[in-house]
Amino acid sequence: DAGITQSPRYKITETGRQVTLMCHQTWSHSYMFWYRQDLGHGLRLIYYSAAADITDKGEVPDGYVVSRSKTENFPLTLESATRSQTSVYFCASSEPMGETQYFGPGTRLLVL
Amino acid sequence: GQQVMQIPQYQHVQEGEDFTTYCNSSTTLSNIQWYKQRPGGHPVFLIQLVKSGEVKKQKRLTFQFGEAKKNSSLHITATQTTDVGTYFCAGGTSYGKLTFGQGTILTVHP
């Protein structure tokens, strides 16, 4: 049971570069979420998706783009990375929305 | 928008002492969930409370949901070193969104 996976687990990039973080789940959950975790801020929702081709903004969407062409994948793209986007990024899924969320292992991103 | 405040941000205890973290919402919640994140790990679901005044126990952990469904607490009796980590509450609304608190980082000294 693979569950929910994220790749890469660690990423170092430079300011201005485009970066894509991948998220894949094997449960066929309808809902998927992207959070960033920063000390003192807890988990902040970036974007979420209710189904394939349906996405919506969360609390901190600026500078991020998502897509969901398939139910099992929910990639997050930083179009032009900034230092303020250095963080730990978690993907999660649930079924239905509002119920238990299952988190991936996280991607630790450093923007130089 | 909805805000969920969690206190304290940090808590250091000696092994065997009790620990409590509190969660307060600016709006009435439909449910409250609690998650634990071990150092270097990812959040893992612990429990969900739905009813006003509900109390649930998991071994040494006691979870409460306030009568007004706007606050909640997690109490750990006789902490152990395995309890270290960050504890998050997450408030759920009737339309399905979860809002996470900032988390309480628990350190247990042996």
Short mmCIF file of all heavy atoms in Angstrom, two decimals, chain A residues 35 37 39-40 42-43 48 90 97-101 103-105 108, chain B residues 9-10 33 35 37 40-43 45 48 88 96-98 100 102:
data_model
loop_
_atom_site.label_atom_id
_atom_site.label_comp_id
_atom_site.label_asym_id
_atom_site.label_seq_id
_atom_site.Cartn_x
_atom_site.Cartn_y
_atom_site.Cartn_z
N TYR A 35 0.06 22.01 1.39
CA TYR A 35 0.33 22.89 2.51
C TYR A 35 1.81 23.25 2.52
O TYR A 35 2.65 22.49 2.06
CB TYR A 35 0.04 22.18 3.85
CG TYR A 35 -1.40 21.83 4.10
CD1 TYR A 35 -1.91 20.59 3.71
CD2 TYR A 35 -2.24 22.72 4.76
CE1 TYR A 35 -3.23 20.26 3.97
CE2 TYR A 35 -3.56 22.38 5.02
CZ TYR A 35 -4.05 21.16 4.62
OH TYR A 35 -5.35 20.83 4.87
N GLN A 37 4.69 24.37 5.51
CA GLN A 37 4.88 24.42 6.96
C GLN A 37 6.09 25.26 7.29
O GLN A 37 7.20 24.97 6.85
CB GLN A 37 5.06 23.02 7.56
CG GLN A 37 5.17 23.04 9.07
CD GLN A 37 5.24 21.64 9.68
OE1 GLN A 37 5.67 20.70 9.05
NE2 GLN A 37 4.80 21.53 10.92
N LEU A 39 7.91 27.48 10.68
CA LEU A 39 7.89 27.61 12.14
C LEU A 39 7.05 28.81 12.54
O LEU A 39 7.22 29.90 12.00
CB LEU A 39 9.31 27.74 12.67
CG LEU A 39 9.48 27.53 14.17
CD1 LEU A 39 9.06 26.12 14.57
CD2 LEU A 39 10.91 27.80 14.60
N GLY A 40 6.16 28.61 13.46
CA GLY A 40 5.32 29.69 13.95
C GLY A 40 4.04 29.89 13.18
O GLY A 40 3.16 30.63 13.61
N GLY A 42 2.47 27.01 11.53
CA GLY A 42 1.76 25.74 11.39
C GLY A 42 1.67 25.31 9.94
O GLY A 42 2.60 25.52 9.16
N LEU A 43 0.54 24.75 9.59
CA LEU A 43 0.30 24.28 8.22
C LEU A 43 -0.63 25.28 7.53
O LEU A 43 -1.75 25.49 7.98
CB LEU A 43 -0.35 22.90 8.25
CG LEU A 43 0.52 21.77 8.79
CD1 LEU A 43 -0.35 20.58 9.17
CD2 LEU A 43 1.55 21.36 7.75
N TYR A 48 -6.05 23.51 -3.10
CA TYR A 48 -6.67 22.21 -2.95
C TYR A 48 -7.46 21.87 -4.21
O TYR A 48 -7.71 22.74 -5.05
CB TYR A 48 -7.55 22.14 -1.70
CG TYR A 48 -8.79 23.01 -1.71
CD1 TYR A 48 -10.03 22.47 -2.01
CD2 TYR A 48 -8.69 24.35 -1.39
CE1 TYR A 48 -11.16 23.26 -2.00
CE2 TYR A 48 -9.83 25.16 -1.39
CZ TYR A 48 -11.06 24.61 -1.68
OH TYR A 48 -12.18 25.39 -1.67
N PHE A 90 3.90 19.89 2.19
CA PHE A 90 3.19 18.63 2.39
C PHE A 90 2.00 18.56 1.46
O PHE A 90 1.22 19.51 1.33
CB PHE A 90 2.69 18.49 3.83
CG PHE A 90 3.78 18.22 4.82
CD1 PHE A 90 4.24 19.23 5.64
CD2 PHE A 90 4.31 16.95 4.96
CE1 PHE A 90 5.25 18.98 6.56
CE2 PHE A 90 5.32 16.69 5.87
CZ PHE A 90 5.78 17.72 6.68
N MET A 97 -14.05 15.51 1.61
CA MET A 97 -13.42 16.71 2.16
C MET A 97 -13.92 16.94 3.58
O MET A 97 -15.09 16.75 3.88
CB MET A 97 -13.77 17.92 1.30
CG MET A 97 -13.01 19.18 1.69
SD MET A 97 -13.28 20.47 0.49
CE MET A 97 -12.25 21.76 1.16
N GLY A 98 -13.01 17.34 4.46
CA GLY A 98 -13.38 17.58 5.84
C GLY A 98 -13.13 16.39 6.73
O GLY A 98 -13.15 16.50 7.95
N GLU A 99 -12.91 15.24 6.13
CA GLU A 99 -12.59 14.04 6.91
C GLU A 99 -11.08 13.93 7.07
O GLU A 99 -10.33 14.82 6.69
CB GLU A 99 -13.16 12.81 6.21
CG GLU A 99 -14.68 12.79 6.19
CD GLU A 99 -15.29 12.79 7.58
OE1 GLU A 99 -14.75 12.09 8.45
OE2 GLU A 99 -16.30 13.50 7.79
N THR A 100 -10.64 12.85 7.63
CA THR A 100 -9.22 12.64 7.91
C THR A 100 -8.36 12.92 6.69
O THR A 100 -8.66 12.45 5.59
CB THR A 100 -8.98 11.18 8.33
OG1 THR A 100 -9.79 10.88 9.45
CG2 THR A 100 -7.51 10.94 8.66
N GLN A 101 -7.31 13.70 6.91
CA GLN A 101 -6.37 13.96 5.82
C GLN A 101 -5.12 13.09 6.02
O GLN A 101 -4.60 12.97 7.12
CB GLN A 101 -5.98 15.44 5.79
CG GLN A 101 -7.14 16.33 5.37
CD GLN A 101 -6.73 17.73 5.02
OE1 GLN A 101 -5.54 18.04 4.88
NE2 GLN A 101 -7.71 18.61 4.84
N PHE A 103 -1.29 12.58 4.98
CA PHE A 103 -0.20 13.40 4.50
C PHE A 103 0.91 12.57 3.87
O PHE A 103 1.21 11.46 4.33
CB PHE A 103 0.38 14.22 5.65
CG PHE A 103 -0.47 15.38 6.06
CD1 PHE A 103 -1.58 15.19 6.88
CD2 PHE A 103 -0.19 16.66 5.62
CE1 PHE A 103 -2.38 16.26 7.25
CE2 PHE A 103 -0.97 17.74 6.00
CZ PHE A 103 -2.07 17.54 6.81
N GLY A 104 1.54 13.15 2.87
CA GLY A 104 2.74 12.58 2.31
C GLY A 104 3.94 12.91 3.20
O GLY A 104 3.81 13.64 4.18
N PRO A 105 5.12 12.39 2.85
CA PRO A 105 6.30 12.57 3.70
C PRO A 105 6.90 13.97 3.66
O PRO A 105 7.73 14.32 4.49
CB PRO A 105 7.29 11.55 3.14
CG PRO A 105 6.88 11.39 1.72
CD PRO A 105 5.39 11.52 1.71
N ARG A 108 11.32 19.09 1.33
CA ARG A 108 12.05 20.19 1.95
C ARG A 108 12.72 21.00 0.86
O ARG A 108 13.62 20.49 0.19
CB ARG A 108 13.04 19.66 2.97
CG ARG A 108 12.35 19.23 4.24
CD ARG A 108 13.05 18.17 5.03
NE ARG A 108 12.33 17.86 6.26
CZ ARG A 108 11.25 17.10 6.33
NH1 ARG A 108 10.76 16.54 5.24
NH2 ARG A 108 10.66 16.89 7.49
N GLN B 9 2.77 27.64 22.09
CA GLN B 9 3.52 27.30 20.89
C GLN B 9 4.59 26.25 21.21
O GLN B 9 4.88 25.38 20.40
CB GLN B 9 4.18 28.53 20.29
CG GLN B 9 4.86 28.26 18.95
CD GLN B 9 5.39 29.52 18.28
OE1 GLN B 9 5.24 30.63 18.81
NE2 GLN B 9 6.01 29.36 17.12
N TYR B 10 5.16 26.36 22.41
CA TYR B 10 6.17 25.41 22.87
C TYR B 10 5.82 24.94 24.28
O TYR B 10 5.26 25.71 25.07
CB TYR B 10 7.56 26.05 22.93
CG TYR B 10 8.06 26.61 21.63
CD1 TYR B 10 7.87 27.95 21.31
CD2 TYR B 10 8.74 25.80 20.72
CE1 TYR B 10 8.34 28.47 20.12
CE2 TYR B 10 9.21 26.32 19.53
CZ TYR B 10 9.01 27.66 19.23
OH TYR B 10 9.47 28.18 18.05
N GLN B 33 -10.24 18.03 14.56
CA GLN B 33 -9.34 16.89 14.40
C GLN B 33 -8.01 17.23 15.06
O GLN B 33 -7.62 18.40 15.15
CB GLN B 33 -9.10 16.60 12.91
CG GLN B 33 -10.37 16.22 12.15
CD GLN B 33 -10.12 15.94 10.69
OE1 GLN B 33 -8.98 15.73 10.24
NE2 GLN B 33 -11.19 15.91 9.90
N TYR B 35 -3.83 16.05 15.11
CA TYR B 35 -2.76 15.37 14.40
C TYR B 35 -1.47 15.46 15.21
O TYR B 35 -1.26 16.43 15.95
CB TYR B 35 -2.51 16.02 13.03
CG TYR B 35 -3.63 15.83 12.03
CD1 TYR B 35 -4.81 16.57 12.12
CD2 TYR B 35 -3.53 14.92 10.99
CE1 TYR B 35 -5.84 16.41 11.21
CE2 TYR B 35 -4.55 14.74 10.07
CZ TYR B 35 -5.70 15.49 10.19
OH TYR B 35 -6.72 15.32 9.29
N GLN B 37 2.80 15.20 14.72
CA GLN B 37 3.91 15.17 13.78
C GLN B 37 5.20 14.92 14.56
O GLN B 37 5.62 15.76 15.36
CB GLN B 37 4.01 16.49 13.01
CG GLN B 37 5.12 16.53 11.97
CD GLN B 37 5.17 17.88 11.26
OE1 GLN B 37 4.72 18.88 11.77
NE2 GLN B 37 5.75 17.89 10.07
N GLY B 40 10.86 15.66 12.10
CA GLY B 40 11.29 15.20 10.79
C GLY B 40 10.25 14.43 10.02
O GLY B 40 10.51 13.99 8.89
N GLY B 41 9.07 14.27 10.60
CA GLY B 41 8.03 13.46 9.96
C GLY B 41 6.90 14.30 9.39
O GLY B 41 7.03 15.51 9.22
N HIS B 42 5.80 13.62 9.12
CA HIS B 42 4.63 14.30 8.58
C HIS B 42 3.47 14.16 9.56
O HIS B 42 3.47 13.27 10.40
CB HIS B 42 4.24 13.69 7.22
CG HIS B 42 3.95 12.23 7.27
ND1 HIS B 42 4.92 11.26 7.23
CD2 HIS B 42 2.77 11.57 7.38
CE1 HIS B 42 4.36 10.08 7.28
NE2 HIS B 42 3.07 10.23 7.38
N PRO B 43 2.49 15.06 9.47
CA PRO B 43 1.33 14.96 10.39
C PRO B 43 0.58 13.65 10.19
O PRO B 43 0.34 13.22 9.07
CB PRO B 43 0.48 16.17 9.99
CG PRO B 43 1.43 17.13 9.35
CD PRO B 43 2.42 16.26 8.63
N PHE B 45 -2.94 11.62 11.59
CA PHE B 45 -4.25 11.78 12.23
C PHE B 45 -4.30 11.02 13.54
O PHE B 45 -3.89 9.85 13.62
CB PHE B 45 -5.33 11.28 11.28
CG PHE B 45 -6.71 11.27 11.85
CD1 PHE B 45 -7.46 12.43 11.92
CD2 PHE B 45 -7.28 10.09 12.30
CE1 PHE B 45 -8.75 12.42 12.43
CE2 PHE B 45 -8.57 10.06 12.81
CZ PHE B 45 -9.30 11.23 12.87
N GLN B 48 -10.90 12.45 15.72
CA GLN B 48 -11.86 13.49 15.33
C GLN B 48 -12.96 13.54 16.37
O GLN B 48 -13.48 12.51 16.80
CB GLN B 48 -12.45 13.19 13.95
CG GLN B 48 -13.54 14.19 13.55
CD GLN B 48 -14.00 14.00 12.12
OE1 GLN B 48 -13.41 14.50 11.17
NE2 GLN B 48 -15.08 13.26 11.96
N PHE B 88 -1.07 19.23 16.36
CA PHE B 88 -1.90 20.20 15.64
C PHE B 88 -3.37 19.89 15.88
O PHE B 88 -3.79 18.75 15.82
CB PHE B 88 -1.67 20.12 14.13
CG PHE B 88 -0.34 20.59 13.66
CD1 PHE B 88 0.67 19.69 13.38
CD2 PHE B 88 -0.10 21.94 13.46
CE1 PHE B 88 1.90 20.11 12.92
CE2 PHE B 88 1.13 22.38 13.01
CZ PHE B 88 2.13 21.47 12.73
N GLY B 96 -16.77 21.77 4.76
CA GLY B 96 -15.73 20.77 4.52
C GLY B 96 -14.30 21.21 4.66
O GLY B 96 -13.39 20.38 4.64
N LYS B 97 -14.02 22.50 4.82
CA LYS B 97 -12.63 22.92 4.90
C LYS B 97 -12.06 22.68 6.29
O LYS B 97 -12.76 22.78 7.29
CB LYS B 97 -12.51 24.41 4.56
CG LYS B 97 -12.38 24.68 3.08
CD LYS B 97 -11.99 26.13 2.86
CE LYS B 97 -11.81 26.41 1.39
NZ LYS B 97 -11.48 27.81 1.12
N LEU B 98 -10.77 22.36 6.33
CA LEU B 98 -10.04 22.24 7.58
C LEU B 98 -9.07 23.40 7.70
O LEU B 98 -8.38 23.72 6.74
CB LEU B 98 -9.24 20.95 7.60
CG LEU B 98 -9.89 19.64 8.02
CD1 LEU B 98 -8.86 18.53 8.03
CD2 LEU B 98 -10.55 19.76 9.39
N PHE B 100 -5.90 24.53 10.08
CA PHE B 100 -4.99 24.03 11.10
C PHE B 100 -4.54 25.14 12.04
O PHE B 100 -4.34 26.28 11.62
CB PHE B 100 -3.75 23.40 10.44
CG PHE B 100 -3.99 22.03 9.90
CD1 PHE B 100 -4.58 21.85 8.66
CD2 PHE B 100 -3.64 20.90 10.63
CE1 PHE B 100 -4.82 20.58 8.16
CE2 PHE B 100 -3.86 19.63 10.14
CZ PHE B 100 -4.46 19.46 8.91
N GLN B 102 -1.54 26.56 14.75
CA GLN B 102 -0.11 26.71 14.53
C GLN B 102 0.70 25.55 15.09
O GLN B 102 1.87 25.38 14.76
CB GLN B 102 0.40 28.01 15.17
CG GLN B 102 -0.25 29.26 14.61
CD GLN B 102 -1.42 29.69 15.49
OE1 GLN B 102 -2.18 28.86 15.99
NE2 GLN B 102 -1.58 30.99 15.67
#
